[in-house]
């Protein structure tokens, strides 16, 4: 079971790729920067062999991106663990031949160039499917391979702005707010991964590959939840409402004497228990707060009443007594605190790859290893000699 | 190719499930509320047959959640399209027998109960694997199936708070900020889907199912990007920095006369082009802004200088002239505006399911249909008679 699989004792050595559900697969990885590499990293995490093909010069741009640990770009290391690296000049005949030999034997090709670049190299899906009809050719881009925005410049901040996500995040009296992580890049990468695994399953049935075409924009639109529902319901966009739930109250982040707690009361019973737990049982009888509809109508007054009490004691106090009352509550943690939670060790969610501490894989599967020590990201062209030998013309 | 596949003309009728990469798969769906149903919806979107098993009474709680369109819960409709529904009392012998007959023939069972619930019903992975060793049994939970937080109450807001994501989102002088969508719920659902497809691929090789165990907490931790890098680099958490990029400037949301634009200058060349495009070429020669490091050191002054100019004209003006200068720029759109972009139609990213307008699937695959008209979410117990007939004891 998972508890045992995820313990450090069950880990394999750094030199041996893990046996995973995707073991035996060969992936040619033309992706670069964040979005694509995050997706192909998950293939490697689950056992696939991933060969990162980098351009001549300094390779993937992110090798020079901070933050650094010594000389090592953590930006590069965090999304390229477990891959091999070869530099190929895809405009030079000799290297194109090596590349095409890889294509003949690969299960997956992943790329996140701007739409049109692969076709100009002569490596469109249509061309490579002639070489290898079983190839799963997976493209991730900002806005997708077709449509009027196909080649529009796509950076995470632009996608967050154009998808409506920024307009929904933040406070009514504050500006639109970017999620504090490159969410649209990462969502595109996760959809790339899931599209590839779906296409690989289908290939087992049909014998044929396909072209998987995902985008950061589409991936973000699929995640808008209430924002998209509101457009269908009313034709209008939701206003920003800060940290609270649109339809339930109290369901928000609350300020204590020394920090914040999240409290989630989905029904009257829980609100009564909360009121009692904080020593304000009369709030449950207040006409303004008598049921969820009333509490939503008076949500600001409710927050003010609750915070008046919560600010009298530290968060640790309230976490203990609100949790003891059976009301869903949790601490506001920063990232360092989050990774210090004992849950992280129990779930093997902080691993060592190439000696660098980084998040583990969220995919836990019975019967497959989830190594605590994993191979790191490759130096540029580290596998040049062996790969040229293996795929020589 | 995708452009043709995604056109309304290529769509199938509402009554016919789409031929997709996952066609032929039988999924028993015990998931409820948002997280699990979002994951199993993607299985249905790609062609799997998904049977939603609901508890006696009112079924999935979200059938009673707003927003509504007439009598229809959009909350339910948006994540249950294309599924069948049957009510089973999993504590009653006759219904347990029907359920076990489904298990014998299913490819996938998905559930998102609190860890322990399935085992108490006698339906743990270990028990069901005896009935069907090929079963991919997939569990999504707040914190995972093991560890000290396994049964801790998990709502999206609590996971966003405990993962560090809220602490990273927002402005230096403002509060920690929740992403304006139930991101951790949805991320858990997407990881559930990707874990299932990975396990299905593996089953084709091994003949054996597995237990896929994903969580909202792990899924969110995997998405922290710079936040997690900073902990490795320094041991400390990042401070909130609003909408700007941590290492590049100008790379932020900027205010114009009537709205905002996102501008992303990743290098000096683009900054020079931007300065010229807004009629302030001298900014490129200002010592405070001479290279990216200088611009990051004076990022507030830089924003102030740029916004002084940008506020003189509407966003539409600046979008046109900054884009013409080759500088990555995009509009700040609300969700209604985002779905009105012509790109949405080109990518079939707004579909009709059961007559309700909702986001389409972000998975586009050559050779597979991406219907514009899809089957809607089922009424409670809508398929009771046919399913009891099919799986009768």
């Amino acid at each position: 079971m998972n508890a045992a699989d995820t313990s450090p004792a069950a880990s394999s050595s750094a030199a041996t790729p893990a046996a995973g559900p995707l073991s035996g697969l060969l992936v040619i990885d033309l992706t670069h920067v964040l979005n694509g590499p995050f997706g192909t990293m998950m293939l490697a995490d689950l056992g696939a062999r991933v060969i990162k093909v980098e351009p001549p010069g300094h390779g993937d741009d992110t090798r020079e991106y901070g933050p650094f640990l010594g000389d090592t770009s953590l930006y590069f290391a965090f999304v390229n663990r477990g891959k091999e690296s070869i530099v190929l000049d895809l405009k030079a005949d000799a290297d194109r031949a090596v590349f095409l030999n890889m294509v003949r034997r690969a299960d997956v090709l992943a790329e996140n160039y701007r739409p049109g670049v692969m076709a100009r190299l002569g490596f469109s899906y249509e061309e490579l499917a002639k070489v290898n009809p079983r190839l799963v050719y997976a493209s991730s881009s900002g806005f997708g391979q077709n449509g009027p925005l196909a080649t529009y410049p796509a950076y995470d901040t632009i996608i967050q702005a154009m998808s409506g996500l920024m307009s929904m995040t933040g406070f009514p009296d504050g500006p639109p707010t970017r999620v504090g992580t490159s969410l649209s890049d990462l969502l595109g990468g996760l959809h790339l991964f899931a599209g590839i695994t779906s296409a690989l399953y289908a290939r087992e049935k049909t014998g044929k590959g396909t072209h998987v075409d995902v985008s950061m924009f589409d991936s973000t639109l699929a995640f808008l939840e209430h924002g998209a529902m509101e457009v269908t319901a009313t034709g209008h966009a939701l206003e920003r409402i800060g940290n609270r739930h649109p339809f339930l109250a109290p369901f928000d982040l609350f300020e204590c004497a020394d920090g914040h707690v999240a409290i989630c009361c989905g029904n009257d019973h829980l609100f009564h228990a909360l009121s009692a737990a904080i020593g304000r049982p009369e709030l449950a009888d207040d006409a303004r707060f008598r049921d969820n509809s009333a509490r939503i109508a008076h949500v600001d007054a409710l927050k003010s009443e609750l915070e008046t009490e919560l600010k009298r004691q530290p968060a640790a106090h309230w976490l203990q007594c609100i949790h003891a009352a059976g009301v869903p509550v949790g601490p506001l943690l920063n990232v360092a605190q989050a990774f210090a939670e004992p849950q992280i060790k129990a779930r093997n969610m902080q691993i060592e790859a190439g000696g660098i501490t980084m998040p583990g894989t969220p995919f836990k599967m019975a019967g497959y290893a989830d190594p605590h020590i994993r191979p790191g990201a490759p130096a540029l062209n580290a596998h040049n000699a062996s790969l040229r030998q293996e795929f020589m013309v």
Side-chain angles (χ1 to χ4, degrees), chain A residues 74-106:
Chain A
L74 294 180
Y75 199 105
F76 183 82
F78 269 49
V79 292
N80 289 289
R81 65 187 180 209
K83 301 178 186 177
E84 301 170 39
S85 169
I86 184 171
V87 170
L88 292 180
D89 180 352
L90 294 179
K91 292 177 179 167
D93 287 346
D95 281 8
R96 289 171 67 90
V98 172
F99 174 75
L100 284 170
N101 268 355
M102 288 182 177
V103 169
R104 284 185 187 94
R105 287 146 67 178

Side-chain angles (χ1 to χ4, degrees), chain A residues 37-83:
Chain A
F38 182 66
T40 56
M41 178 188 76
M42 290 181 254
L43 296 170
D45 281 351
L46 297 189
R49 180 182 178 199
V50 178
I51 299 173
K52 187 176 178 81
V53 174
E54 300 187 70
H58 56 233
D60 190 328
D61 282 347
T62 60
R63 290 183 177 277
E64 303 183 351
Y65 283 17
F68 290 91
L69 189 68
D71 289 340
T72 302
S73 161
L74 294 180
Y75 199 105
F76 183 82
F78 269 49
V79 292
N80 289 289
R81 65 187 180 209
K83 301 178 186 177

Side-chain angles (χ1 to χ4, degrees), chain A residues 186-388:
Chain A
L186 299 170
L187 279 180
L190 179 53
H191 281 88
L192 183 72
F193 168 69
I196 288 170
T197 54
S198 298
L200 285 168
Y201 172 79
R203 191 186 69 170
E204 294 297 310
K205 301 296 179 188
T206 65
K208 287 184 193 163
T210 180
H211 186 190
V212 176
D213 161 15
V214 301
S215 82
M216 294 162 61
F217 190 56
D218 294 350
S219 298
T220 308
L221 291 166
F223 265 63
L224 297 180
E225 197 211 8
H226 282 124
M229 295 172 200
E230 190 70 14
V231 171
T232 292
T234 69
H236 297 296
L238 278 178
E239 301 294 315
R240 285 186 290 286
I241 57 171
N243 295 333
R244 74 173 176 87
H245 193 284
F247 307 119
L248 299 172
F251 207 111
D252 202 342
L253 192 70
F254 295 90
E255 202 173 339
C256 306
D258 64 343
H260 295 79
V261 294
I263 300 173
C264 300
C265 287
N267 60 47
D268 294 342
H269 168 74
L270 289 171
F271 179 61
H272 291 194
L274 173 67
S275 302
I278 67 171
R280 295 288 306 279
E282 77 282 7
L283 289 177
D285 300 320
D286 191 314
R288 294 173 300 167
F289 312 136
R290 70 176 178 278
D291 60 22
N292 185 66
S293 304
R295 291 192 294 273
I296 283 284
H298 301 98
V299 68
D300 291 337
L302 176 62
K303 184 163 193 174
S304 171
E305 293 279 8
L306 293 172
E307 286 192 335
T308 297
E309 202 58 42
L310 294 170
K311 284 178 185 169
R312 296 187 206 277
Q313 298 284 346
H317 168 82
W318 294 121
L319 284 167
Q320 192 277 325
C321 75
I322 295 171
H323 184 67
V327 176
V329 62
L332 186 282
L333 303 179
N334 68 33
V335 178
Q337 293 167 326
F339 278 104
E341 280 286 321
Q343 187 70 9
I344 296 290
K345 191 169 183 188
R347 297 286 291 174
N348 196 32
M349 277 308 293
Q350 193 174 45
I351 65 164
E352 303 275 324
I356 295 171
T357 301
M358 63 180 74
T361 174
F363 298 104
K364 314 298 183 189
M365 296 196 202
Y368 294 102
D370 177 19
H372 182 71
I373 308 290
R374 289 179 179 259
L380 181 63
N381 212 17
H383 303 83
N384 180 56
S386 60
L387 288 170
R388 283 184 188 270

